[in-house]
Every structure is written in C-alpha cells, then in structure tokens.
C-alpha cells in the first residue's frame, strides 16, 4: 500500500529524525507504528545513521502489529526485521540473522541484556508505560545498557500519572531532565524527584500510601520534558467516528446485596460451607469487584457464585445486537468461565488467527482481556461494539482496549457499554477512571505538538 502521510504524521517522523532522544505521546489511531517505521527506514537506509535497531513491545504487538505494518507499506521495502520471540534457542537464532530491526517482547528484555552482547545503536520502546516502575527487572536491566544506544524513542498513548514519568522519561534521557531541577541534582533515585515535586497524601502515621503533586509541580515537570516530547490527540487530527458511551446498571437482590454489604463491613463472610476473607484493603477491593461481577474466589481459588445479573445483562445485549458482533472485555478468569458457560459461541481473542477471524466477521461474541490484548491490535474491521463486563482500575488498559474499535478506520458509530452493578465498587472504579483522565489530559495538553503555529 502506498503511504501518503498526513501533516501530523510527517511532523512526528521529522521529530524522531531530528532528536536523538524523543517521546511520542500519540493518541490511539494516529499511526505511531508507521510514523516510527518511516523514520527508521530513513535512518537505516538513507542517512545510514543506525544499523541495528531494537524494538521492544508487548508480546502480541511484537508478533502481530509491527510485522504487519512493515509488510503493509510500499515505502518500507528493504527495512528487514527479525522477530526475537519463542524459546531461548529460537531467540538466539533470530538474533544471529542479519536485519535492521530486531523486535522483542518486553518480557524478554532481561534475558536479552543478560545473554546477548549489546550491539544495538537505537532502541524503540513501544508502550513506554511498560517501563513506569523503576523496581521492575526490565527497567533495571535496560537502564544498564541504555548508554550504549545513541538513539532512543519512546511511544505511548497513555503516559500515566506524574510519578510514572520519572522512570518513563528517565529510561530515555538517563535522568537528565527529571533527575535535576533548577541547578539541583535530585539524584539517581525516585526519592529525590518525589520529595521535590510531591507531598504525602494518604497515610497512616509513618506509612505513606500515596502522594499528591505540590503546587506548580505539574507545570514544572511538563516544562522539563517538553523539549523531547510531543503529544497529539486523535480528535485534533482525525475524523473520528461517533462514539456512544453507555452505562447499563444491574442490581443485586436483597439477599445478594446483604452478602456484599456484610463482607464489605466485616472483611469476612461465610457462604454455605465456604469462608471468604480479605487480609487488607487491597484484597477487599479486589474481592468486592469480583462480587459485583457475580462470583468471587474463596480458599484454594474455588469459585463462589454470588449472582448472574451481569450475565443476564450481557444476554440482553447479545439479543439486541441480533447477530452484530460484540467485543466483551472481562477481567477475572471466573468471569471468562461463566460467560463461556452461558454463551456457547463465545470465543477468546488469543492468536493471530483469532484476530483475522474477528476482522473477517467470523466471531459473533469475542472475549478479550485488557491486559493481554489492549495494546496495538487492529480490530476495527470486525465490529463496533464493546461491552465491559468487568471494569479495570487501569486507565491505560481501559483506553487502549476501547481504541481497538474506536479509531479512524472505523466505518460505524462505536458503542461502548459498561455493565455496572449498582451501589458497588464498580461505581468507584468508573469515577476513578474519569478522575485519572482529567490529570492525564493535563499532561497531554502541556506537551501537545502545535503544528503550523
């Protein structure tokens, strides 16, 4: 296919070419993969500035999205790639093949650093938020070899919160921007950054559970990273399809509601012969969300049924769709099991064949987990309706999964249904997602690219 870049795509490509270090915060659907591949072609085959590029991506994106985009566009001819996936022996073999790009899933970064001589002169991190934790092994290992790459690009549609930026930007610029402030060296660790820009928020005496930005911290942080970051929102550049967000409320019976309320109050509950308990607030939150969905894990991962209200609501949606494909997002394994037990034609989106079959209209009820399939997959040809059976606290996963259907190439109005159990933790999650979006939008706005002015 012939590539005719939009002005914003050319702008983003030029930004990569003109910056040894850069971060592209591009909204879903803007084409960050082809933008980056176009820059890589010029760097490898035109200016000869790089010869071995490591692309780090989520597993499904590494094995599906990058190879398909590379094969799709005529202008990328000659930009060869080797997929560093599979067993250790298979990964070793693919590293020995001659290519310009070596595409690896993020889970194998630690293996690569420990077992392979580092000879990559450029690194592309697709979904930079995968490196938001400085405690993660992949962050620690990549940090060791980062100085050996003369160019690095970070790609993300959801940069996360302000605290996450210390690691995300730090892995790109080796701490040059957020490790210093107004002549001060804040240090190599997140503590200095946190102390300068944040204040303790929720705490229990000496134990601090969360932090909040100091006055003026947001503007100061955005200013520090603005020279290497650009941001673009899809609504500014694309003719996006209409999107309808719908909340479908279900209610538990008085008996079911009493189980929920008693457990929420006492953190322990007897259901028949089964005992349910929560050791702390995090465990309680997790189990309350499970109960809102209709079942909960007891001891030894035994599934304890609570209600079928969400299954009934999903059945109504399936009936109303009248054969129109639905993409259903689930969170817990027992949700998946119960959905498949109720709907015999339901099928998980797990493999490349599943993706192709969905896009070909062969799957009327597709089941997808946000954590394993939220990033990078193009699913817009298979349908235009998403149903959130179970909600997630992660704004990133929530937005990424919605963007599988709500994107420029979508030809129909996109409907996003949220099945919410009334008066439960579901409502807290919906509010949290909305509140997180406000702060993340501020970050995006602060570094948004102003093309042509």
């Amino acid at each position: 296919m012939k590539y005719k870049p939009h002005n914003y795509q050319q702008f983003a490509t030029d930004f990569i070419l003109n910056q040894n270090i850069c971060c592209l915060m591009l909204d879903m659907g803007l084409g960050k993969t082809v933008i980056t591949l176009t820059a890589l072609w010029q760097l490898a085959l035109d200016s000869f500035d790089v010869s071995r590029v490591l692309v780090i991506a989520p597993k499904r994106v590494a094995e599906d999205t990058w190879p398909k985009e590379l094969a799709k566009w005529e202008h990328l001819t000659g930009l060869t790639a080797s997929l560093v996936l599979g067993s250790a022996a298979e990964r070793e073999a693919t590293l020995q093949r001659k290519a310009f790009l070596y595409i690896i899933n993020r889970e194998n970064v630690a293996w690569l650093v420990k077992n392979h001589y580092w000879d990559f002169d450029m690194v592309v991190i697709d979904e930079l938020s995968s490196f938001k934790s400085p405690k993660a092994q992949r962050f620690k290992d990549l940090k060791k070899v980062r100085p050996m790459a003369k160019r690095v690009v970070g790609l993300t549609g959801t940069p996360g919160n302000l605290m996450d930026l210390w690691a995300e930007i730090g892995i790109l610029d080796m701490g040059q921007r957020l490790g210093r402030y107004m002549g001060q060296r804040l240090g190599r660790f997140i503590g200095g950054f946190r102390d300068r820009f944040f204040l303790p928020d929720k705490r229990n005496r000496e134990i601090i559970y969360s932090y909040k930005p100091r006055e003026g911290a947001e503007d100061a942080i955005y200013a520090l990273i603005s020279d290497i970051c650009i941001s673009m929102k899809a609504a500014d550049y694309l003719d996006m399809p209409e999107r309808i967000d719908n909340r479908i409320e279900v209610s538990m019976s008085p008996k079911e509601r009493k189980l929920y309320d008693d457990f929420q109050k006492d953190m322990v509950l007897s259901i028949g012969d089964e005992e349910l308990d929560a050791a702390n607030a995090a465990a309680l939150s997790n189990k309350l969300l499970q109960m809102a969905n209709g079942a909960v894990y007891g001891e030894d991962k035994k599934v304890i049924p609570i209600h079928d209200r969400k299954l009934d609501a999903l059945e109504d949606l399936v009936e109303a769709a009248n054969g129109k494909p639905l993409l259903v997002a689930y969170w817990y394994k027992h949700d998946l099991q119960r959905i498949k037990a109720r709907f015999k034609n339901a099928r998980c989106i797990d493999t490349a064949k599943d993706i192709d079959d969905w896009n070909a209209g062969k799957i009327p009820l597709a089941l997808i987990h946000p954590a394993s399939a939220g990033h990078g997959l193009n699913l817009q040809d298979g349908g235009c309706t998403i149903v959130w059976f179970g909600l997630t606290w992660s704004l990133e996963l929530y937005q990424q999964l919605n963007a599988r259907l709500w994107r420029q190439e979508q030809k129909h109005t996109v409907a996003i249904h949220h099945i919410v159990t009334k008066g439960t933790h579901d409502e807290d999650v919906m509010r949290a997602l909305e509140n997180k979006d406000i702060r993340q939008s501020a970050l995006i706005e602060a570094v948004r690219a102003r093309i042509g002015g």
Side-chain angles (χ1 to χ4, degrees):
M1 184 181 295
K2 192 170 183 62
Y3 179 55
K4 296 179 181 179
H6 299 284
N7 288 340
Y8 75 83
Q9 290 177 315
Q10 188 60 57
F11 180 91
T13 294
D14 290 342
F15 192 77
I16 295 175
L17 294 173
N18 295 326
Q19 299 273 143
N20 287 339
I21 302 168
C22 65
C23 176
L24 272 56
M25 300 177 183
L26 303 187
D27 224 349
M28 299 75 139
L30 288 175
K32 69 180 187 299
T33 307
V34 69
I35 286 170
T36 306
L37 284 169
T38 303
L40 295 179
W41 188 95
Q42 294 185 49
L43 289 169
L45 295 169
D46 187 15
S47 65
F48 307 107
D49 194 48
V50 299
S51 59
R52 285 176 68 89
V53 180
L54 180 69
V55 177
I56 303 169
K59 186 175 185 296
R60 296 182 192 281
V61 178
E63 65 188 6
D64 186 81
T65 304
W66 280 83
K68 283 186 176 178
E69 285 289 297
L70 192 56
K72 178 179 178 180
W73 304 105
E74 292 180 11
H75 72 292
L76 299 177
T77 301
L79 189 63
T80 52
S82 182
L83 303 186
V84 188
L85 304 170
S87 66
E90 290 170 330
R91 296 195 297 270
E92 288 284 4
T94 54
L95 284 169
Q96 302 307 315
R97 294 175 189 161
K98 186 172 178 56
F100 288 109
L101 309 184
Y102 295 84
I103 305 171
I104 192 169
N105 57 307
R106 58 197 178 191
E107 292 81 6
N108 280 322
V109 168
W111 170 87
L112 179 68
V113 173
K114 288 182 174 65
N115 296 281
H116 182 71
Y117 171 73
W118 193 266
D119 54 0
F120 304 104
D121 45 19
M122 182 172 182
V123 177
V124 176
I125 306 174
D126 192 356
E127 301 308 342
L128 183 61
S129 56
S130 300
F131 288 81
K132 67 183 179 182
S133 172
K135 296 180 181 179
Q137 194 60 46
R138 70 176 70 131
F139 177 91
K140 295 176 182 178
D141 287 327
L142 186 60
K143 184 180 177 182
K144 294 175 185 175
V145 295
R146 164 60 190 92
M148 300 172 68
K150 61 182 179 181
R151 282 181 171 269
V152 62
V153 177
L155 304 173
T156 184
T158 48
N161 60 46
L162 289 173
M163 193 77 79
D164 294 340
L165 289 176
W166 184 86
E168 293 174 356
I169 299 300
I171 201 68
L172 302 181
D173 74 349
M174 295 178 285
Q176 293 179 21
R177 285 157 183 81
L178 299 184
R180 297 179 177 84
Y181 180 67
M182 296 183 66
Q184 308 174 53
R185 180 168 178 80
L186 301 182
R188 295 183 298 115
F189 305 102
I190 195 170
F193 171 72
R194 185 182 59 213
D195 293 343
R196 176 62 188 83
F197 293 109
F198 297 86
L199 291 169
D201 187 12
K202 296 179 181 179
R203 64 188 303 166
N204 182 4
R205 295 184 180 178
E206 293 82 14
I207 302 174
I208 301 172
Y209 296 107
S210 64
Y211 290 83
K212 60 184 177 182
R214 293 178 182 270
E215 185 177 353
E218 287 187 58
D219 291 340
I221 292 171
Y222 299 154
L224 286 171
I225 67 175
S226 62
D227 65 317
I228 62 169
C229 297
I230 60 170
S231 169
M232 299 178 182
K233 280 188 162 295
D236 292 340
Y237 302 104
L238 302 181
D239 185 14
M240 296 293 285
E242 184 181 358
R243 169 174 163 174
I244 299 172
D245 286 75
N246 184 32
R247 182 182 294 202
I248 300 169
E249 290 189 340
V250 300
S251 298
M252 290 186 269
S253 69
K255 181 179 179 181
E256 295 158 355
R257 182 75 207 194
K258 188 176 188 307
L259 291 175
Y260 181 93
D261 290 342
D262 287 349
F263 183 62
Q264 182 172 233
K265 177 168 60 82
D266 301 328
M267 298 177 67
V268 64
L269 182 68
S270 294
I271 305 177
D273 296 331
E274 298 298 327
E275 191 77 17
L276 188 65
D277 67 88
N280 50 46
L284 177 64
S285 171
N286 184 40
K287 290 186 182 296
L288 288 176
L289 278 179
Q290 293 181 52
M291 294 177 78
N293 286 358
V296 62
Y297 288 119
E299 294 183 1
D300 300 322
K301 285 290 185 179
K302 183 174 181 179
V303 178
I304 305 171
I306 304 295
H307 64 82
D308 289 339
R309 310 301 171 183
K310 287 197 175 186
L311 288 171
D312 295 340
L314 179 57
E315 188 167 329
D316 290 341
L317 287 170
V318 171
E319 184 177 345
N322 196 25
K324 182 180 176 182
L326 300 182
L327 185 66
V328 179
Y330 69 92
W331 192 253
Y332 299 102
K333 286 184 179 179
H334 58 64
D335 293 339
L336 173 64
Q337 293 163 359
R338 291 184 303 118
I339 294 171
K340 293 180 78 172
R342 173 76 71 97
F343 305 94
K344 303 305 181 184
N345 64 341
R347 177 173 158 189
C348 291
I349 301 290
D350 286 328
T351 66
K353 186 179 188 311
D354 295 330
I355 295 169
D356 291 340
D357 285 350
W358 162 261
N359 282 324
K362 298 178 181 179
I363 306 177
L365 188 62
L367 309 179
I368 194 166
H369 194 286
S372 63
H375 292 296
L377 302 183
N378 296 325
L379 303 174
Q380 71 278 355
D381 292 335
C384 58
T385 305
I386 296 174
V387 180
W388 283 89
F389 184 90
L391 299 171
T392 171
W393 286 103
S394 171
L395 176 68
E396 176 188 359
L397 296 181
Y398 174 75
Q399 291 182 330
Q400 287 280 359
L401 192 140
N402 289 339
R404 297 314 103 219
L405 300 191
W406 188 60
R407 55 198 303 122
Q408 184 184 24
E409 300 89 344
Q410 177 62 253
K411 298 178 177 63
H412 307 285
T413 297
V414 174
I416 301 177
H417 301 294
H418 310 81
I419 305 179
V420 176
T421 304
K422 193 173 179 179
T424 70
H425 213 29
D426 274 352
E427 295 179 340
D428 298 328
V429 177
M430 287 298 295
R431 279 193 296 270
L433 289 171
E434 292 163 359
N435 291 337
K436 285 180 183 177
D437 194 26
I438 292 171
R439 185 163 301 284
Q440 181 167 289
S441 294
L443 191 161
I444 294 291
E445 181 65 31
V447 295
R448 182 180 297 184
R450 304 293 184 184
I451 300 176

